[in-house]
Amino acid sequence: MSTAVPEHPRWLVELADEPGEAHFAAWRLGQRAAAADGFSLPMPALATTTECWRGSGRVRGGEIGAARFCADDDFMLAELVLSEKDFGGIGKTTHEAYRRLFDYLPASGYPYLLRIWNYFSGINEGIGDQERYRQFCVGRQLAFERSWMDADPAATVIGLPEKSSRLRVLWLASRTPGRMLDNPRQMVPRAYPPEHGPEPPRFSRGALWNGMRGKLLLISGTASVVGHSSRHLGKLDAQLAETRRNLDALLKVANEAAGTDSRFGAGTVLRAYVRSETDLGDVEQWLHDSFPGAQYAVLQGDVCRQELLVEIEGVHHL
Ligand code: 3EB
């Protein structure tokens, strides 16, 4: 599932049991312990692994406002953690987090926002439009509407099984612009009808980055959603198959945009978020069978729509 030492110096991102020397950011997945020198995702997992982001040029870390960052000559990975207790609920806290993020970006030296990860507890709690994910979307939308952002970044929003009042927002930004991608099988999220919430989600299905070090596709959280509708309620295998079709469609768009002809396999690093602990093993088996040569981590987390059982995101080197 993962190797002890990063093996492919060509690639920017890979999973390893222990972070090697060459990374600018290490992101521990599935560990409860806080990481002093990097990032961590405290989620139950089949195995603990570390996502290593290989550094190029000057590697450094520090703080911008209330956020912590790790950076190299091309990228910054940063994390902002805010407590809902300080801002009065998930909607207001999300608005504040994004307001700050948009504030930090131009000053950080890495103004181009490529991708965002959002994590908080109890994501499906609350009835109807009071559901916490929907309130998250309200706060995010307000911040985007008031910002100078023109393209929505790639994103993930996942519920943490642990009870906590903290919203964790991580972002990847670059010195040179990326290109945001839609998925032809899926509706542009900002156009979702109100049946999914009073304000639409703001994200692109993927982000493409093209630089001296290679071409990178950052894949947003991808689930069994066609158009704007959830498909295959209650059926894990069918949801996985639909998710695979969505991932293949996104890769096709990315290949066309980048002028490449790459396939998923070696050079693909996936994260699967699985709602039910009892499905973890099946999802790992499916990843093993469906993405030969790829690396993957299988984590237990709640997908933002109650009816979705699994969501897959990742990084692919084109
Ligand atoms: C979907 O396609 C499934 O609100 O930022 C996936 C990735 C999903 C990101 C977000 C939501 C988000 O609508 C859910």
Side-chain angles (χ1 to χ4, degrees):
M1 171 171 165
S2 60
T3 51
V5 177
E7 280 180 344
H8 306 285
R10 187 169 80 76
W11 294 336
L12 274 73
V13 181
E14 60 193 325
L15 299 179
D17 292 341
E18 296 294 333
E21 291 299 299
H23 62 276
F24 77 89
W27 193 349
R28 258 151 277 196
L29 304 177
Q31 268 186 346
R32 281 188 176 272
D37 61 335
F39 305 102
S40 66
L41 195 50
M43 294 176 108
L46 278 181
T48 293
T49 184
T50 302
E51 198 175 276
C52 298
W53 288 71
R54 183 171 300 273
S56 169
R58 198 164 73 91
V59 168
R60 62 208 171 277
E63 275 127 51
I64 340 169
R68 238 162 27 88
F69 73 85
C70 296
D72 74 357
D73 280 353
D74 294 312
F75 299 109
M76 168 178 284
L77 187 62
E79 179 181 45
L80 176 64
V81 182
L82 295 182
S83 172
E84 289 179 47
K85 291 181 185 141
D86 294 335
F87 301 100
I90 191 63
K92 287 187 175 136
T93 308
T94 303
H95 178 237
E96 180 62 20
Y98 276 76
R99 205 183 60 72
R100 291 189 192 192
L101 193 167
F102 294 148
D103 211 38
Y104 299 157
L105 274 176
S108 70
Y110 302 79
Y112 299 104
L113 182 58
L114 300 176
R115 204 214 187 293
I116 306 192
W117 294 262
N118 308 270
Y119 302 99
F120 57 95
S121 296
I123 192 167
N124 302 125
E125 283 171 17
I127 304 296
D129 286 346
Q130 292 308 310
E131 186 192 34
R132 283 165 57 77
Y133 170 63
R134 294 181 176 201
Q135 288 302 310
F136 166 93
C137 287
V138 169
R140 176 172 57 176
Q141 166 77 330
L142 190 60
F144 269 92
E145 278 178 338
R146 292 178 177 173
S147 80
W148 41 266
M149 296 285 299
D150 50 2
D152 294 355
T156 292
V157 188
I158 289 290
L160 297 173
E162 64 166 24
K163 198 129 189 76
S164 160
S165 59
R166 281 191 286 278
L167 167 68
R168 301 155 60 90
V169 177
L170 293 99
W171 74 90
L172 179 75
S174 60
R175 284 224 169 113
T176 54
R179 175 163 165 188
M180 299 306 140
L181 304 178
D182 291 324
N183 189 322
R185 303 187 82 240
Q186 300 183 295
M187 186 181 280
V188 173
R190 64 198 290 179
Y192 279 2
E195 66 188 82
H196 301 292
E199 297 291 351
R202 297 293 303 260
F203 68 103
S204 293
R205 303 293 177 176
L208 197 60
W209 184 87
N210 193 345
M212 295 286 281
R213 297 154 75 184
K215 296 178 163 92
L216 204 63
L217 171 63
L218 300 150
I219 304 167
S220 290
T222 304
S224 179
V225 172
V226 179
H228 62 80
S229 308
S230 302
R231 295 284 171 93
H232 317 296
L233 307 196
K235 295 181 187 141
L236 180 68
D237 289 349
Q239 288 198 12
L240 285 167
E242 200 70 71
T243 301
R244 177 66 202 250
R245 287 190 283 276
N246 286 334
L247 291 168
D248 287 344
L250 181 72
L251 180 58
K252 187 163 181 280
V253 169
N255 274 326
E256 281 162 8
T260 52
D261 186 24
S262 84
R263 288 153 187 269
F264 291 126
T268 308
V269 181
L270 299 173
R271 263 190 229 179
Y273 301 99
V274 184
R275 183 180 295 280
S276 167
E277 193 181 351
T278 55
D279 289 337
L280 287 169
D282 286 349
V283 171
E284 180 176 49
Q285 186 65 48
W286 180 83
L287 286 164
H288 177 267
D289 297 342
S290 312
F291 293 89
Q295 289 189 302
Y296 44 83
V298 184
L299 307 166
Q300 191 199 342
D302 296 333
V303 185
C304 62
R305 291 189 191 178
Q306 185 81 62
E307 66 276 13
L308 296 173
L309 301 172
V310 63
E311 183 174 298
I312 294 173
E313 62 164 62
V315 176
H316 176 71
H317 302 83
L318 288 156

